[in-house]
Amino acid sequence: MGILRQNSGDITQGVIWKQLLAFFFPLWFGTFFQQLYNTVDTVVVGRFVGKTALAAVGSTGVVVNLTVGVFTGLASGAVVIIAQHYGARRGPEVFRSVHTAMLLSLLLGAFFMAAGFLLTPWSLRAMGTTEEALPGAILYQRIYFLGMIPNVVYNMGTGVLRAVGDARRPLYFLIAASLCNIVLDLVLVVGFGLAVLGVALATVLSQLLSAVLVVLSLMRSQGQAYQLFPRQLRLYGAPLKDAMRVGVPAALQSVMYSASNIVIQAAINSFGTDAVAAWTAYGKMDVIFWMSINAMALAITTFAGQNYGAGQYDRLKKGVRVSVGMSAGFTVLLSTAMTVFARPILSIFSPDPDVLEIGVAMVRFLAPCYITYILVELLPGAIRGAGRSMVPMLISVFGVCVLRLVWLFTVVPAHHTIEAVELSYPITWAVTSAAVLIYYRWGHLLQPRNGTE
């Protein structure tokens, strides 16, 4: 296993835009089906239960995203290290890194399961969740946290597959899990009338299926350095240290993002149930943008990791330029479509006229601003692929999180409108994009490391 046998996942050579798209589309569809979990939950409760249940499920989003962001940030460190070793053909290091990552996922899952279950009532009350939505929100979130171990294992396992250039198998697993979620939602909510309990159980059982599928896939990767052997799971010192060096800053960045979003959710909660339901529906609509930009960021991170490990620095930089150009073109088209078709799309989630009125205004205010965000994801993604994540994290924490919190605690109380809350997004996106571009352009980042950041 000294020299790694490469397969079709090698992206250190070939036409860059074709490779990025070949990697992007499975990631995009994979993210689509992953988002389909909560989207189907939202549609089912909004249509078959009511807007109070919709607000209950929506109120849990920021807390769930906070938790998911922490372990996906930590997982990104393992993904980067595996991708670098894979690109450099270092088989034994790939093996040790994979087994370290998978054991770490089990430990993290157990921790988040216990902490999330215990802290659920406190966290939802701290955000000012409306009293009518609170019981359903507590029920949904607690059941979600009980399924945290398979959730973390799945995300870490698919991260391993992405690191070695395989974005197809995670897509297949998510398709199966999403179809399972749809069927269970309809059976448990519409058939048995379990309301919020039904959508929560459907989500957890579907996540369990996806975790089983990805673990079996890794175990059956015969002859590959990333093949998983459960009895050889252990925390190897060097891979753990390297993964934490990259992953901890990414996790801290995600925590700060989610913390600012919790404050925003609390601000939205102050406008009542209609506003919360509209914000929830808008969030399910604009997920197309977020899953697209996140998929491209994951693609460029893996591309950067393999090419950095292989010493292909000029190719890495060209890949960054290509990814930014493609993302900008897509963002303009999507923003236009969302602005034009806001009302019919939002009506999928809720037919309530008051909810629709607020939601349409949200879309038409924020969708045109998406173009200011793309560099916030893509440039740090490439920089993390080169094994550097501390400075991008600090830039994002200050630009997106600290500045946004300052806005929310100073401007919003003086101008208590939904528009004032929404304005915190484009302002912080633009400032952070400018800062990270300056760092990327003059930081001499995508070249051999001569020490630490």
Side-chain angles (χ1 to χ4, degrees), residues 293-365:
I293 201 68
N294 287 336
M296 185 58 76
L298 288 171
I300 196 61
T301 297
T302 301
F303 181 91
Q306 286 200 21
N307 283 277
Y308 187 85
Q312 302 274 12
Y313 308 116
D314 290 337
R315 176 179 171 81
L316 197 169
K317 295 174 185 176
K318 185 176 180 181
V320 173
R321 294 194 295 271
V322 170
S323 70
V324 170
M326 291 191 295
S327 298
F330 170 82
T331 299
V332 171
L333 292 175
L334 179 63
S335 298
T336 302
M338 287 179 61
T339 301
V340 172
F341 299 106
R343 186 173 296 274
I345 296 175
L346 287 172
S347 65
I348 296 172
F349 302 99
S350 176
D352 187 281
D354 294 331
V355 172
L356 283 175
E357 196 65 31
I358 298 171
V360 169
M362 289 175 174
V363 173
R364 291 177 177 168
F365 186 94

Side-chain angles (χ1 to χ4, degrees), residues 98-99 102 161 169 211-224 226-231:
V98 167
H99 286 76
M102 296 308 294
L161 293 174
R169 281 185 287 179
V212 170
L213 291 173
V214 76
V215 168
L216 290 176
S217 176
L218 289 171
M219 291 175 63
R220 294 174 180 175
S221 298
Q222 299 291 335
Q224 297 291 345
Y226 54 87
Q227 182 178 358
L228 180 65
F229 298 91
R231 293 185 179 182

Side-chain angles (χ1 to χ4, degrees), residues 10 31 43 81 85 130 133 149 167 192 195 220 228 243 320 337 339 356 363 379 394 407 431-432:
D10 183 6
T31 308
V43 172
I81 299 306
H85 289 318
T130 59
I149 290 178
F192 289 94
R220 294 174 180 175
L228 180 65
V320 173
T339 301
L356 283 175
V363 173
L379 295 186
L394 293 174
W407 179 275
V431 170
T432 308

Side-chain angles (χ1 to χ4, degrees), residues 3 20 43 58 69 71 87 96 98 129 144 208 235-236 255 266 273-274 277 280 292 314 397 401 405 418 439:
I3 300 296
L20 282 173
V43 172
F71 68 70
R96 286 191 285 269
V98 167
T129 303
Y144 188 94
L208 177 61
L235 297 177
Y236 292 93
V255 168
T273 298
D274 286 341
T280 302
S292 300
D314 290 337
V397 164
C401 305
L405 291 173
I418 294 177
Y439 177 63

Side-chain angles (χ1 to χ4, degrees), residues 372 399 403 407 422-432:
T372 64
L403 183 58
W407 179 275
E422 294 170 331
L423 193 57
S424 66
Y425 282 100
I427 289 176
T428 55
W429 292 343
V431 170
T432 308

